[in-house]
Amino acid sequence: MTAALLLALTAGMLGAVNPCGFALLPAYLSLLVAGTSDTRGAVGRALTAAAGLTVGYVLVFGAFGLALAPLAGWLRPRLPWLTVALGVLLVLAGCWLLAGRRLPAPGWSARAPRLTRSWPSMALFGAAYALASLGCAIAPFLAIVVTSLQAGSTGQGLALFGAYALGMGLVVAVAALGVALVRDGLVARLRVAGALVPRLSGLVLLLAGGYVAWYGWYELRLAAGRRDALHDPVIRVAAQVQRALADAVDRVGPAVLLAALATLLLIALLAKRARRPT
């Protein structure tokens, strides 16, 4: 059982950087960076956003594996169109931020309650992340988690589901917390960063959205049997980057990621104490 849990944990970690959806990770981080700045709430904002994205991601995978699998034949050919649409939306959001505007999403409203400031929007983003990733990451999820549930091992299946979610959330939380702390540190030290950081986030969002849309178009060309898609230079370069990220996550392993998360939380705690007036 321990080996199966470790396998599910690793599969969840690699699911965060799967070939179909890995470009959505920097897009997610860009949305986090572009959100309302609150130095005292950097840790809560990052972890809440990471939890929202993870929940949206694994719930879509769970629903697909348990309830929607019979519709897979109908749904799979239509997923690339959803990927293209998601990419276009991200490009538009990136252009909006580059123009110096704030994203008009209720989840990022400064007047929203603290716990909901990023949860709803990130849960929706996690669901979109999962839909874009189904083609590449659903097979390990089905093999590891759903097989146990369908075999009647409910307790083991739920434990594996939790391990998969923990692996996904661990990668996302470390990235989110690191980026949030860097962002708030820059804004606190450099007055110009308050206006510059959202525009840089818009640029990252623009590039990530452009790639996501291109990947969806690539999948549509593959489905149509077009041979030029097999030699797409954009996909080839991105595949090399994705493999490097996946290999790095696999080499690091869950223990190092947990240590990194604990270190970042300690840094945030020490920084918060240092900012307190004496």
Side-chain angles (χ1 to χ4, degrees), residues 2-28:
T2 302
L5 287 173
L6 183 59
L7 182 61
L9 184 67
T10 304
M13 290 166 52
L14 295 177
V17 290
N18 70 85
C20 298
F22 83 100
L24 290 173
L25 185 57
Y28 148 76

Side-chain angles (χ1 to χ4, degrees), residues 63-65 67-80 134-135 138 142:
F64 186 87
L68 301 180
L71 300 177
W74 177 86
L75 185 61
R76 188 170 288 113
R78 292 162 174 80
L79 286 175
L134 278 173
I138 191 63
L142 292 174

